[in-house]
Amino acid sequence: MPPKADDPIIEQLRRWGAAQVNRYALCRSDRSRHVLEQARDLAPGTTERALRQLVGRDGRSRRKFMAERYGVQGMGMRILPVWAVDPVRAANDADKPHDNPEVAVDMGIPDDLRWLDRAIASMARQYPLRALIVRTEFTVSASQAVKAAQVRQQYGGALSLWQYRRELQRAVDWLSGHKQAA
């Protein structure tokens, strides 16, 4: 017999299960625009605009700093020449445009359901079969007979549908008591 639908703990467990199932979302870069088109939008455009944006980035401040650091100001040099400055290593990472792979982003669990996450983790230490049954019951969309077979396969022992339902009810009772104690 499935748990009672009007029980508030069951409603929270259903919301928790939906949050677990939809926890990871796929994120991908914008594929509607080509990479070079996006680069063109970010590029400064004209030479004049580039000079205005890049002012102060010609290495003068670094060469002045190095002159001060190495004490060549006493020799009449306020700034080191370009040839005397150690080069900044660079790598040619240019590659032909390609689609970025999809990345899974953890959306997390709603704050009001985090207690369930902690309680089920605590239950897993004491009653691993019950925790597995709760996770299966509220995250898998199938009949209880199929869910019991999945748990039986994962747990590696004998488990009937009647035992599955009994352990599920005990787990829900344990979580109800755990919420009242918190």
Side-chain angles (χ1 to χ4, degrees):
M1 170 177 191
K4 298 175 195 149
D6 59 344
D7 192 4
I9 191 81
I10 299 300
E11 182 57 36
Q12 287 184 336
L13 279 166
R14 286 190 179 134
R15 287 182 44 233
W16 172 84
Q20 282 288 355
V21 169
N22 300 317
R23 186 170 182 166
Y24 293 96
L26 292 179
C27 177
R28 64 179 80 169
S29 65
D30 184 15
R31 293 184 183 196
S32 63
R33 298 181 62 211
H34 196 273
V35 175
L36 294 178
E37 185 181 345
Q38 292 175 1
R40 193 177 330 123
D41 289 345
L42 295 175
T46 63
T47 306
E48 293 81 21
R49 191 180 312 154
L51 288 174
R52 276 182 277 154
Q53 287 181 358
L54 299 176
V55 69
R57 295 192 57 198
D58 61 353
R60 290 185 85 95
S61 60
R62 183 166 184 264
R63 293 191 341 242
K64 282 182 184 179
F65 171 74
M66 291 180 76
E68 292 171 6
R69 177 98 185 231
Y70 294 120
V72 294
Q73 290 175 336
M75 294 187 271
M77 294 178 72
R78 291 183 322 169
I79 187 169
L80 289 178
V82 176
W83 59 265
V85 179
D86 57 333
V88 177
R89 294 184 54 91
N92 183 6
D93 59 353
D95 192 9
K96 59 184 178 221
H98 59 278
D99 289 334
N100 293 331
E102 295 177 344
V103 178
V105 178
D106 186 358
M107 303 302 286
I109 299 292
D111 291 339
D112 63 325
L113 300 176
R114 286 193 185 162
W115 75 269
L116 269 172
D117 230 12
R118 289 189 300 270
I120 293 172
S122 175
M123 180 192 300
R125 289 188 289 277
Q126 297 174 5
Y127 309 105
L129 178 61
R130 288 182 189 169
L132 181 60
I133 288 173
V134 168
R135 287 187 186 280
T136 304
E137 177 68 24
F138 294 101
T139 59
V140 175
S141 180
S143 68
Q144 280 194 334
V146 171
K147 292 175 188 177
Q150 286 179 350
V151 170
R152 184 180 325 116
Q153 184 179 12
Q154 286 179 353
Y155 190 66
L159 182 72
S160 67
L161 180 58
W162 178 82
Q163 289 171 322
Y164 175 88
R165 289 178 175 163
R166 187 182 68 185
E167 289 298 320
L168 177 61
Q169 188 57 50
R170 287 181 177 173
V172 170
D173 292 343
W174 188 90
L175 287 171
S176 294
H178 194 77
K179 182 180 182 182
Q180 291 171 358

